[in-house]
Structures are given as structure tokens and as C-alpha cells.
Amino acid sequence: MALVWQNIRRIFWINFNKPQRKLGLILRGDGIQVAPRGKKAKQFQYARQERNHRPFLAVARKHFSQTYLLKSNAHYRHILLPSQVSLFHTTRRLNIPPVLWTILKPLGKLWAMLWGRYIRRWWTALPLEKRTHYKGLFGGMKGIIFGVVFAMVAAAVINYVIHLERNPLTNRLRFISLSKDQISSIVEFEEQSYLTQYKDQMLTPNDPIYKGVVGVASNILAANKSESPMIQSAQWKVTVVDDLTVSNAFVLPNGHIFVFTGLINDIDNVDQLAIVMGHEIAHAIMGHSIEHVSRGQLLDVVMIFVLAAIWTFVPGDGIAVITQWFYNKLMKLMMELPYSRELEMEADKVGLLLAAKACYDVREAPALWAWQEAKVKLADEGVRIPELLSTHPANESRTQSLQSMLPAAIKLRESCSCAKLDPSKDPWVRVANAIENLRSNKEKLAIEPAKSDAPV
């Protein structure tokens, strides 16, 4: 017992007593020189009316062909030297194959439901004297039952504690249960599925859009390579998917960056692209997807015991089904969705600082989300999902959060010897004018049909 207590103290000492590293300081680095952005790196024209006469992707290709060309190998991949990363654990993690876990998870839940239902029906069918006999029998075994339950709970708590790690950038504690082999197999399968799905839509390395995206990624990674072991060890790759219907970008845990041309068409300049890519790279270097899977596995195990209790003690199958449905909704509302929004806000914060160290205009971050919110409000797309029921924070929340972080990000940017931001080119002024133009155009379109319908 003394040995167990000693190990627990050692775990808590290592996990909870590390020097506090605040996010505003951890990303300051060693002043890595970033390739200067010359006079050719002009911002895109914001007037949306010009896109009707001049396709935006054509403008972007011309812009990218002049700036941010990747200085790398023939395959346009930003590859850095590998380094060894060691994590502290007192026990070896269970290496359950992901495919096996995918099969066991629904089977475990089904077993819990059937076993609980069997016990309830068996107990209901017992005569009164049998129930009295078993109650007396279980009453005499209270000590043993309590000991078994306590041992199981203690084992679960110890297993949880020894799998706690600190986020390398924000110092936040999180639960990671996956081994390196599990992570590799999951990521490899996911990567191959995406490459197969988009194999006929990939832009070639000679495309200016591709070169521009890789250039932005390279600048961010080069400016922040001292801040994360993953940036130094991962084999970073970029895939640009030519699909205008998808406005998205994501980064796999192995450093494979996917960007869709729909996103390029939905932003206004390279700085906004850097904000988005910084956000996605932040997700990867902080291991958010791995953390999310680990947390999901933990909740699945808890769910098995809860299902067994529901189907054992709730009278009637119908009431048990309703109780299970209510529990699932409650878990999603109280546990899953707030946690997902927390990770998104954390990636916003870290991504903003990554872009700041790469000398991009961080003022574009809140302006980007303010513009997205304005488009949604003026689109009249029906009932909007409230933030409470969404996996992502509302655009207004992200705008306010990023706006509050701007002073620290600008200060960090200045400490990296970046060129000073031009006050006359404030993105907020540009966005305010664009919102006003959008509102005016909408009012004109609403008035013209009314005139045409008026009696002559």
C-alpha cells in the first residue's frame, strides 16, 4: 500500500508541479528569421462586386504566383529533422487495435443493456420469499460488495491519473489513453481514406494556389519550430483539394495539411489564410483529435456501466429506452459539446499566436469571423443553431475572444522583429464597409421585386 501511495504522489508531483508556462510567453521562441514579405505581397481587393467580372481563384493564382513560393524540395514538402519525444507513464498503455475497439464498443453497450434487462426481469419474476432471502444474503455481504466497488473505483481513478498529460502549449491537463501505435494506425487509415477520396481533385505542385498554401504553412512552421516537438519531428505535407463547394481546412495528427479551394474562395487575403491554417495547425500540434478520441473511449466505458444500471433498476423496457435517450442527450449537452467548443477556442488562441510569430496581420482574425457572422445574419437561412447545441463557438463569441487577445498577439508579433502594422489598413474598417455594402445590396434587391409587382 505504501508503494502504491508513493507512486501516486510521484505521479501528482510530475503532472501537477511543473513550472507554469503561460501561453503568451511560450510562443516567443528564439527570434527565428522569417522570409520577408516584399512589396509584391499585396492584399486582395475586398470589393465583392469585382468577382463577377474577375473570378477570385484567378486573382488568387496570380497573387500566389508572385509571393510565398515554397523554398523546399521538388515535391513542395516542408520536411524538418526528426527528434525523439518521451512521455512519462508509470504503466504501459493498453494497445487495443482501433478496429477492435470500434467493434467492442457497440457490443459492450448491447451486452450492458441485455444483461441489465435480464437481471431486472429475473428479479421481478422471483417470488416474495426468494426476494427476502436474497436481500438478507446481499445484506450480509455489504462489506465485500463495498470493498469490490471501492477497488474498482480506485483502479479506475489511478488509471485515469497515470494517463493525464499537460498540453505542451497551454499547460492544460488532459486525458490521453492511446498509445503511439494506436495513433499511427488511426492516422494512417484516415490519411489514406482522404487521399483516395480526393485523388482526382488534387491541385498539382505547380499550381500557384498550391504553392501559396504551402508557402503560408512553411512560414508558420518555420517561425514556430522551437515551440512544439511535433513541428520538428513530423513529416509535414500539403494537399489542396479543388472543390469550391467545401470551405474547410484540417490537419491530421501526422502533419498532413488538407485545404479546399472553397476556403481560398471564401477568404480575402493571405493573412486570413494564415489565421485559418494557424488554427488548424494548433489543433494538430496540441493533439486535439487524439485527446478527443481518448475522452470518447473513457466516456464509452462509463456509458457501459450506466446502461447496465438503467436497464437493471428502471422498471419497464419503454421507460428504460426513454431514460437512456435522455441520458445520451444530457451527456452530449453537458459533456461533449462544451468540451468541443473549449478545444476550438484553445486552437483559436494558439493559432493566433502562431500566425503572429510568422509576421501575419493578426487583426484579420476577429475581422474574419465578424464578416462570417454578418453573412449568416443577412442570408436569412432560417433558424440558426444556438451555441449551446453546437460543436463550435458562435461567430460572435469567436470574434469577441480573438479581439480580446489581439493586444498580446500584436505585442508578440513586434517582439519577433516583424514589420509594424499599418493603422490605415485596419481590417475592421474594410469589414464594416463590406457589411454596409452587403446590407445595402440586400435592401435594393428587396425593393426591386416590390416595384415590379406594383399595379401599373
Side-chain angles (χ1 to χ4, degrees):
M1 188 66 184
L3 181 60
V4 173
W5 176 246
Q6 182 179 0
N7 287 335
I8 293 176
R9 287 184 60 191
R10 184 175 60 175
I11 294 165
F12 273 89
W13 175 257
I14 291 178
N15 281 327
F16 294 96
N17 292 280
K18 291 183 178 180
Q20 297 295 314
R21 305 176 69 192
K22 295 184 179 179
L23 187 64
L25 301 176
I26 192 171
L27 289 177
R28 294 198 174 178
D30 53 3
I32 299 170
Q33 294 296 323
V34 182
R37 301 166 62 195
K39 295 182 179 179
K40 294 182 180 180
K42 297 179 180 178
Q43 293 183 342
F44 292 126
Q45 301 258 340
Y46 195 82
R48 303 258 166 182
Q49 292 87 354
E50 291 188 9
R51 296 188 184 176
N52 296 329
H53 308 286
R54 206 161 139 207
F56 181 75
L57 286 181
V59 179
R61 281 193 168 90
K62 181 179 179 181
H63 174 84
F64 280 137
S65 65
Q66 298 174 348
T67 57
Y68 300 106
L69 299 183
L70 175 66
K71 300 175 182 178
S72 182
N73 60 8
H75 297 287
Y76 296 95
R77 293 181 179 180
H78 186 84
I79 299 178
L80 302 171
L81 296 177
S83 62
Q84 296 295 327
V85 182
S86 59
L87 300 176
F88 172 80
H89 288 286
T90 58
T91 59
R92 184 177 180 273
R93 289 175 171 173
L94 295 177
N95 190 9
I96 303 176
V99 176
L100 180 59
W101 176 258
T102 304
I103 298 174
L104 291 178
K105 180 173 65 175
L107 290 179
K109 293 180 179 179
L110 179 61
W111 174 86
M113 294 168 55
L114 295 178
W115 182 249
R117 183 174 183 270
Y118 171 78
I119 293 177
R120 171 169 50 83
R121 293 171 66 89
W122 169 78
W123 180 262
T124 305
L126 285 177
L128 182 59
E129 58 273 13
K130 284 287 185 179
R131 294 187 189 181
T132 305
H133 169 72
Y134 282 117
K135 286 181 180 178
L137 180 64
F138 293 145
M141 299 173 61
K142 285 183 179 180
I144 298 176
I145 295 174
F146 177 79
V148 171
V149 172
F150 178 81
M152 293 176 63
V153 172
V157 170
I158 293 174
N159 181 70
Y160 177 81
V161 170
I162 64 178
H163 287 90
L164 286 177
E165 294 181 359
R166 285 199 179 274
N167 187 304
L169 296 181
T170 64
N171 213 29
R172 175 180 57 85
L173 277 174
R174 76 268 187 83
F175 176 77
I176 302 293
S177 63
L178 297 177
S179 66
K180 291 183 179 180
D181 292 337
Q182 285 179 301
I183 295 170
S184 298
S185 59
I186 293 174
V187 173
E188 182 180 357
F189 175 80
E190 190 176 12
E191 181 182 32
Q192 291 302 318
S193 65
Y194 284 129
L195 291 176
T196 302
Q197 180 180 356
Y198 303 121
K199 63 180 180 180
D200 298 327
Q201 298 173 275
M202 298 180 187
L203 295 185
T204 63
N206 294 324
D207 193 293
I209 293 289
Y210 180 90
K211 293 179 182 180
V213 171
V214 175
V216 173
S218 298
N219 285 343
I220 294 175
L221 295 172
N224 296 277
K225 64 181 180 181
S226 63
E227 306 303 339
S228 171
M230 178 185 171
I231 293 181
Q232 301 182 36
S233 62
Q235 300 291 318
W236 293 89
K237 295 175 285 186
V238 172
T239 296
V240 181
V241 182
D242 190 8
D243 188 350
L244 292 174
T245 62
V246 180
S247 180
N248 192 22
F250 58 88
V251 182
L252 298 180
N254 65 349
H256 197 151
I257 303 171
F258 287 81
V259 178
F260 293 80
T261 53
L263 173 66
I264 304 297
N265 197 43
D266 209 28
I267 60 177
D268 298 293
N269 49 57
V270 177
D271 296 294
Q272 289 189 356
L273 177 61
I275 295 298
V276 175
M277 293 188 66
H279 172 92
E280 299 302 332
I281 291 174
H283 274 308
I285 64 178
M286 290 190 291
H288 279 174
S289 60
I290 299 168
E291 181 182 346
H292 196 275
V293 173
S294 298
R295 182 184 174 92
Q297 288 186 354
L298 178 64
L299 294 179
D300 286 335
V301 173
V302 174
M303 181 68 173
I304 290 176
F305 289 96
V306 173
L307 284 178
I310 290 175
W311 285 85
T312 300
F313 297 105
V314 174
D317 293 345
I319 301 177
V321 170
I322 296 175
T323 305
Q324 180 181 340
W325 175 87
F326 180 77
Y327 173 80
N328 290 334
K329 296 299 181 182
L330 187 64
M331 286 292 291
K332 187 171 184 178
L333 185 64
M334 302 299 294
M335 298 290 291
E336 296 179 18
L337 295 180
Y339 175 73
S340 178
R341 292 193 296 269
E342 179 185 359
L343 295 187
E344 291 297 324
M345 296 295 280
E346 187 177 60
D348 277 351
K349 183 177 183 179
V350 175
L352 183 68
L353 299 180
L354 295 179
K357 283 200 66 177
C359 295
Y360 289 100
D361 190 349
V362 292
R363 298 175 301 177
E364 291 286 355
L368 170 64
W369 290 109
W371 170 245
Q372 297 298 325
E373 175 65 17
K375 288 195 300 183
V376 172
K377 282 185 175 180
L378 295 174
D380 291 337
E381 295 179 351
V383 180
R384 297 174 58 187
I385 300 177
E387 182 176 337
L388 184 66
L389 303 177
S390 176
T391 58
H392 287 60
N395 294 335
E396 292 179 340
S397 299
R398 301 181 89 161
T399 302
Q400 296 173 2
S401 176
L402 290 168
Q403 185 67 26
S404 67
M405 291 185 289
L406 272 188
I410 294 175
K411 185 177 180 180
L412 172 63
R413 187 181 182 278
E414 293 174 352
S415 69
C416 296
S417 302
C418 301
K420 291 186 178 181
L421 298 173
D422 189 351
S424 64
K425 298 181 179 179
D426 190 351
W428 275 109
V429 176
R430 189 189 72 236
V431 168
N433 293 334
I435 293 175
E436 185 62 29
N437 292 336
L438 189 63
R439 185 179 291 110
S440 300
N441 292 336
K442 183 182 177 181
E443 292 175 355
K444 290 179 181 179
L445 292 175
I447 294 174
E448 289 177 359
K451 289 182 178 181
S452 63
D453 294 339
V456 179

